[in-house]
Amino acid sequence: MNKLIPEMRTLQKAFQNELHHNILSFWIKFGLEADGDGFYGATDLNGNPILNAPKSCVLNARILWTFAEAAKDFGNEEYANVAHRAYQVLKNDFADSQYGGYFMSIDSENKPLDTIKHTYAQAFVLYALSKYYEFAPSDDLLQKIKVYFSFLEEKAKDQQQLGYLEAFTRDWQVYSENRMADNNEPRSMNTHLHIMEAYAACYKICKDELVEKRLKELLVLFIEKIIRPDGHLGIFFDEAFNETESSKAICSFGHDIEASWLLWEAAEILGDQEIIEKMKPLSVKMLNRVDRVGVDKDGGLFLESTRFGSHVRTNKHWWPQAETVVAFMNGLELTSDKKYWDKLKLSWNFIDKYIIDHENGEWFTKVNRLGIPYLIEPKDDPSPYYRNDWKIDPWKCPYHNGRAMMELISRIEKMISSKQKP
């Protein structure tokens, strides 16, 4: 492994450059409102704001998480200012002072727009607040985080069945017609993955017994119910977490590879030895499975497969590419097998060549199998605000790629330091 240190240093510098001079700099230059205190809901490919675009709770929470982590890691005042701004936006504009929780979206004038309370979005707020506390700790913020966790447990936790309910009306009545899942199934992998992620972040800062209990329950849920025997994640489930028939035909490669390292990270934070012993081989199995069927020969990750694996959607979206390089780094750490470093380099080369917009900054939303960006408005997406020809939209954020760069920078540093110790 010592022979890899020069390569690691070279790539680490590339990741630092990408983080500071392309991703975060783009968001500082183009994401902050010129005539307001928040962030634009969308921009075009060149960073021009779409002034009438709604503002997404998920996007703003992800901005908070990203810049809080960057400010914590690098001591950069500009990053700190963005993190403080994002915190104020969530607190002042997205928080529902009447019924609790956070609106899914607000309009360009900061008025509530989509008032459905998606558990997915609520989890991202907890995740972001926990990271913000790591950067700017205070007793008041910690108390707010604990109260919010208890609130989610009261409102979103299913008291009769496994897991968490998916969506609610503004006043927290169960709402089954507008879940995040297109088919409105009672349970989704994606919601539970990000609740797990949020609870791990929360437990990291507070070590509360109930947070610990719920985090363990979620990890066991993934180990026993959500991860399929072949290493892929199930997608949709009934109330007892039996996978639905419509779900069994789908493999989401991006979520599979993201979960391969997120679940391991959560197991480490939890510190339960039994969970750790179960999760380590599962994490490697999940990574290997996606590598075998979802990673193209050029290192790019396909979006998903359908029809029980017979049909692969060969589009390569920006966020799964980011998760792929972190997952391969995690595989190297877990196994010390150099093949994962080689795979990481191949995937990074794909990102650098095809996904990064070296001319206008940030990353393209989606490219085809040949690496050619889709730069036209999609015609098959019902949402007018999730577009291939924009750089920022309600889902296009600095969180996946920014987090990936920060993970790689810190993990490489940790690995090199461990190898250089006498």
Side-chain angles (χ1 to χ4, degrees), residues 215-229 233 263 267 270 272 274-280 282-283 286:
L215 178 57
K216 183 175 182 179
E217 288 174 354
L218 284 160
L219 284 167
V220 170
L221 184 63
F222 271 86
I223 291 169
E224 296 184 354
K225 296 284 187 176
I226 297 180
I227 302 173
R228 296 169 181 162
L233 296 171
L263 289 165
L270 179 65
D272 183 292
E274 183 179 356
I275 296 291
I276 286 173
E277 290 176 359
K278 291 179 179 179
M279 198 64 245
K280 183 175 181 177
L282 268 178
S283 293
M286 293 171 72

Side-chain angles (χ1 to χ4, degrees), residues 47-60:
N48 300 307
I50 311 300
L51 296 177
N52 65 339
K55 302 174 184 180
S56 157
C57 177
V58 173
L59 173 58
N60 276 264

